[in-house]
Amino acid sequence: MTQIKSIILEPEKDARIEMIDSSLEGLQKLVGGYIEVIYPFEFEKFPLNQVAIICNENGKIERLPLNRALYDEDGSLYDVIAGTAAVVGIDGDGFTSLSKEQEKYYFSRFEIPEGFFWYGPRLLAFPLLPIIEP
């Protein structure tokens, strides 16, 4: 069992940094099913992008709660992660701990949970900010 530092993303919860078991069994337990590995960021343009998002392969089919939006380089929402996910570093064919720079960058990017709603044919995302009582 190899432990790696990752960013855990859960629906409607703030992101958190946590050590996780990077074995197949550990990752399946984390996401609650078969894993899917997403590489949403172009490595060649920016070395900081050498990360993957691990999520539940059947999250949308199983109607798991929507979690975080993924945006293309123009800022348009193109996909949504469903269920619990983890942002991890990649090294060749394996997963590794996030570097300090990756941890800082991706934590700030995914820290605030998102809510979602349909506006006509488009799915829109919005930050779920805490309610401050007077």
Side-chain angles (χ1 to χ4, degrees), residues 7-8 14-17 98 102-112:
I7 300 170
I8 304 298
D14 290 348
R16 68 180 186 280
I17 297 167
L98 297 168
Q102 288 171 326
E103 184 181 311
K104 182 178 177 182
Y105 179 79
Y106 289 102
F107 187 82
S108 68
R109 184 171 183 161
F110 290 116
E111 179 180 12
I112 298 172

Side-chain angles (χ1 to χ4, degrees), residues 33-98:
Y34 293 115
I35 67 167
E36 177 179 7
V37 182
I38 302 169
Y39 302 98
F41 313 108
E42 291 188 52
F43 304 159
E44 301 81 28
K45 290 186 178 180
F46 196 41
L48 199 59
N49 288 351
Q50 293 184 345
V51 299
I53 298 176
I54 301 168
C55 59
N56 186 312
E57 179 180 62
N58 296 316
K60 293 176 192 146
I61 294 168
E62 294 174 8
R63 296 182 180 251
L64 296 179
L66 298 181
N67 188 340
R68 300 296 199 282
L70 297 175
Y71 300 91
D72 64 20
E73 54 192 37
D74 296 324
S76 297
L77 188 152
Y78 73 88
D79 200 1
V80 177
I81 300 165
T84 299
V87 181
V88 299
I90 53 174
D91 183 20
D93 291 334
F95 304 125
T96 187
S97 288
L98 297 168

